[in-house]
Amino acid sequence: MTVTEVHIDEMMTPYPDKVRKNRKKHIIIKSAESAACPQIEANTRTIPGIISQRGCAYAGCKGVVIGPIKDMVTITHGPIGCGYYSWGTRRNKARSDDRTPPEKIYTNLCVSTDMQESDIVFGGEKKLAKMIDEVVAIFSPRGINICATCPIGLIGDDMGAVAKEAEERHGIPVIAYNCEGYKGVSQSAGHHIANNNLMERIIGSGTDPRTEEFVIYLLGEYNIGGDGWEIERMLTDIGYTVNCILTGDSSYEEIKDLHFADLNLVQCHRSINYIAEMMKTKYGTPWLKVNFIGVNATIQTLRDMATCFNNPELTRMTEVVIERELARITPALEKFRKICNGKTAFAYVGGSRSHHYQYLLRDLGMEVIVAGYEFAHRDDYEGRDVIPTIKTDADSKNIPELHLTPDEALYQEAHLHLGLSKEQYDTIAAQVPLGDYEGMYPIMRVGRIMVDDVNHYEAEEMIRQLKPDLVFSGVRDKYISHKMGVPSKQLHSYDYSGPYAGFNGAVIFARDVADALVTPAWKLITPPWEEKNGNRSDSDA
Ligand code: CFM
């Protein structure tokens, strides 16, 4: 079925006028292959009362960006609910290495100040200070993060002062993140707050320069289901030194040295583009937009990286590894491709995967007909070129912009980081996405939909109208499609499967998708609204 404005209008019919006007701005239908992306409304407030899939600023800071740092203990300052519900919900895996032995891995812990009514009335600073002392006494971590929840901002606890005193007492970094849930319209605000603090407090504090060649940092990769490890495997085989993945399986010790990178790679643009840009300003470090989701996308990224370093041996090894991996995975992939070919899908995830996974689905012959983000900004849909035109509003002004200047001792121009001449760098920058991201729009096909901050009602309506074969989404909307007889796969947690990145990941993903498509279970379901007299049908007996 082709998508037309009519379907969107039909979907909007039950909305009150004001809501209809608002929501229309969040939905774009691609009109022509070469069309420039029309402006989409994004990163603005969800209409109160609408069931959105978004999270809060605390979730973006604690849960997404700093939670995976394995050798720091992260304290949730607030009532126990926020800590409890953010405990272990993201599958960012971590393992011990030379720098971080098992006894220094804290990612699975949930530490909360458990604020009670009297603490809210009289203030929680003493309780927080005591908690920090306890954490040091029990775990002696390399550093401590403190994340604020909504009530902390409302009662005005001075977390920064408590952290500073604790630092003096214990001699380790204690970093306060004012990431109260209400600080932004979604978890995206929390990413920015986390990026600012990492930049100000950790990055650049390492004093031991790297001596290896081709030192790269992979930013915006969180090792969900082991993705980061699969990427690291390929890159190491080619000859890169993957000093750190930010922040999946990362450590305080590694993040300190980020300024020694020759090249930063950016996988998830939304959550980490701030650090990539700030690194460029302060140290001159170039960043390359990469995508390790999808076989062809991975190959393209590996070649782009080789282009950046312009080193014959690295270029040769890139092709050796590509050829070796393709020979290994192609037979398995072909088997699953036969099942997947020609099928359609929805992709609705946080702020980057709905774009990246379209490449992997294309490898399998599938097409995404509706794609959207929970909390992306206009640049994630339309490309970075629109950034200067994005208006700041009261919500975005809530988050401070750090105004950095080049570091006097360490700044060097981007081309020198890569060992290139200025002319070489400029030629290469025209060929690969160095410091640039084109957003999701170019990959969408004509007549297909991009939707921002989709709500429960719209998701249901679009599934009903467009009947996709598979819905890629999160745990909150998973069961909407299940009840409608459409299989769904979680692209946040991978339904406990993975890795899905790189060459090995592509095969695992293809297997999971093929499994979902061929299972007969979905045809046997009678949704509750089709049951007679409220009784379950015999298929449920
Ligand atoms: Fe980046 Fe992410 Fe995502 Fe994200 Fe997330 Fe995630 Fe995500 Mo869930 S950092 S924007 S805030 S790729 S937790 S690892 S899957 S919504 S699309």
Side-chain angles (χ1 to χ4, degrees):
M1 179 188 270
T2 33
V3 180
T4 66
E5 297 274 356
V6 181
H7 294 113
I8 302 295
D9 287 346
E10 200 182 301
M11 182 171 82
M12 299 277 173
T13 314
Y15 281 150
D17 287 348
K18 224 174 137 184
V19 175
R20 191 180 311 121
K21 214 172 136 212
N22 175 309
R23 285 302 303 156
K24 271 197 126 172
K25 292 189 221 156
H26 293 263
I27 300 175
I28 298 244
I29 302 172
K30 186 145 178 175
S31 55
E33 201 49 65
S34 58
C37 186
Q39 184 171 328
I40 188 166
E41 180 133 326
N43 192 33
T44 52
R45 289 185 189 187
T46 302
I47 298 165
I50 277 187
I51 304 175
S52 150
Q53 317 287 1
R54 285 173 159 179
C56 65
Y58 161 79
C61 181
K62 188 266 181 191
V64 174
V65 180
I66 64 153
I69 306 173
K70 59 191 173 187
D71 56 353
M72 297 179 87
V73 169
T74 298
I75 298 173
T76 295
H77 188 30
I80 193 64
C82 304
Y84 183 78
Y85 287 107
S86 59
W87 179 16
T89 51
R90 191 147 166 274
R91 297 183 64 226
N92 33 253
K93 294 174 174 232
R95 68 181 165 206
S96 63
D97 52 31
D98 297 345
R99 291 180 177 202
T100 312
E103 66 273 17
K104 290 263 183 257
I105 295 181
Y106 309 108
T107 36
N108 288 339
L109 294 180
C110 173
V111 181
S112 165
T113 48
D114 184 22
M115 294 278 282
Q116 300 291 322
E117 249 172 56
S118 61
D119 305 317
I120 298 292
V121 174
F122 297 108
E125 291 175 13
K126 285 202 185 98
K127 201 169 188 187
L128 176 61
K130 191 159 167 266
M131 166 63 75
I132 296 168
D133 294 348
E134 269 180 41
V135 164
V136 172
I138 299 170
F139 303 110
S140 61
R142 298 209 178 105
I144 293 176
N145 299 309
I146 311 160
C147 288
T149 60
C150 292
I152 301 309
L154 299 175
I155 64 174
D157 270 5
D158 188 346
M159 294 197 328
V162 176
K164 195 155 177 278
E165 281 172 22
E167 273 190 346
E168 283 157 18
R169 265 200 318 283
H170 299 295
I172 56 165
V174 180
I175 306 174
Y177 300 74
N178 283 102
C179 57
E180 290 85 350
Y182 59 78
K183 273 286 167 69
V185 299
S186 69
Q187 53 268 63
S188 168
H191 302 151
H192 197 166
I193 293 163
N195 276 233
N196 284 352
N197 278 281
L198 292 181
M199 194 67 201
E200 277 194 311
R201 295 298 316 278
I202 306 183
I203 295 167
S205 59
T207 50
D208 214 1
R210 310 292 307 185
T211 50
E212 299 92 335
E213 272 192 309
F214 316 124
V215 177
I216 54 157
Y217 277 72
L218 175 53
L219 313 184
E221 164 50 52
Y222 301 93
N223 205 28
I224 311 300
D227 279 349
W229 295 334
E230 166 63 5
I231 298 168
E232 196 174 3
R233 178 186 72 83
M234 299 180 293
L235 297 183
T236 311
D237 280 359
I238 291 172
Y240 294 102
T241 306
V242 185
N243 198 32
C244 175
I245 295 175
L246 233 72
T247 53
D249 195 22
S250 68
S251 67
Y252 169 76
E253 285 298 321
E254 293 166 339
I255 298 173
K256 280 199 312 194
D257 293 343
L258 189 58
H259 56 307
F260 297 129
D262 295 326
L263 178 67
N264 283 328
L265 308 179
V266 172
Q267 170 73 22
C268 167
H269 174 264
R270 182 64 271 133
S271 63
I272 214 90
N273 77 90
Y274 316 96
I275 285 179
E277 275 294 300
M278 289 189 280
M279 289 293 297
K280 188 145 182 257
T281 307
K282 191 167 177 187
Y283 303 106
T285 321
W287 65 267
L288 178 75
K289 179 69 188 74
V290 296
N291 179 20
F292 290 106
I293 303 294
V295 176
N296 289 311
T298 299
I299 292 172
Q300 183 65 49
T301 282
L302 294 177
R303 289 186 175 147
D304 286 353
M305 290 174 65
T307 303
C308 285
F309 283 99
N310 197 27
N311 175 286
E313 179 55 13
L314 208 61
T315 307
R316 190 188 68 81
M317 276 311 291
T318 301
E319 295 307 322
V320 167
V321 169
I322 290 172
E323 201 181 315
R324 180 193 78 192
E325 297 290 312
L326 279 181
R328 202 168 53 79
I329 65 157
T330 306
L333 213 55
E334 272 310 308
K335 190 174 75 182
F336 298 123
R337 194 185 138 88
K338 287 200 184 97
I339 298 169
C340 302
N341 197 24
K343 298 286 196 289
T344 61
F346 283 12
Y348 188 76
V349 214
S352 83
R353 296 184 173 208
S354 309
H355 179 195
H356 293 146
Y357 275 81
Q358 293 199 38
Y359 297 87
L360 181 45
L361 289 163
R362 290 245 170 113
D363 291 341
L364 301 175
M366 291 178 69
E367 197 199 338
V368 170
I369 53 176
V370 176
Y373 290 135
E374 293 169 32
F375 50 75
H377 298 201
R378 275 183 59 202
D379 39 314
D380 303 299
Y381 295 101
E382 301 175 53
R384 280 187 73 87
D385 290 351
V386 303
I387 290 178
T389 69
I390 297 176
K391 289 194 204 88
T392 48
D393 58 13
D395 294 305
S396 50
K397 278 192 201 136
N398 248 340
I399 304 147
E401 290 284 344
L402 302 186
H403 295 289
L404 301 175
T405 49
D407 186 287
E408 279 180 20
L410 295 165
Y411 180 88
Q412 56 172 351
E413 295 213 21
H415 64 93
L416 298 174
H417 281 266
L418 294 167
L420 301 173
S421 70
K422 180 82 177 72
E423 293 70 37
Q424 280 174 318
Y425 181 88
D426 291 342
T427 313
I428 285 168
Q431 298 165 6
V432 300
L434 263 171
D436 194 21
Y437 176 48
E438 63 174 6
M440 177 158 74
Y441 190 71
I443 201 175
M444 301 297 298
R445 294 230 163 101
V446 177
R448 303 317 189 192
I449 301 178
M450 275 195 331
V451 55
D452 176 71
D453 189 20
V454 87
N455 55 54
H456 186 128
Y457 161 73
E458 288 168 8
E460 195 174 316
E461 269 305 294
M462 286 195 276
I463 295 172
R464 194 179 60 74
Q465 283 190 18
L466 301 168
K467 301 185 176 47
D469 296 300
L470 198 51
V471 169
F472 291 101
S473 195
V475 72
R476 276 169 276 184
D477 28 6
K478 182 180 179 69
Y479 300 101
I480 304 173
S481 65
H482 278 194
K483 285 176 192 163
M484 298 171 88
V486 179
S488 100
K489 284 287 308 163
Q490 279 199 65
L491 277 194
H492 302 256
S493 72
Y494 306 159
D495 290 316
Y496 314 103
S497 183
Y500 284 166
F503 296 104
N504 285 339
V507 179
I508 298 170
F509 180 81
R511 179 202 65 195
D512 290 355
V513 169
D515 277 357
L517 290 171
V518 295
T519 178
W522 311 110
K523 295 191 188 72
L524 302 174
I525 288 172
T526 308
W529 53 88
E530 282 178 12
E531 287 168 12
K532 292 196 182 82
N533 309 322
N535 295 322
R536 305 293 311 224
S537 70
D538 53 2
S539 65
D540 198 42

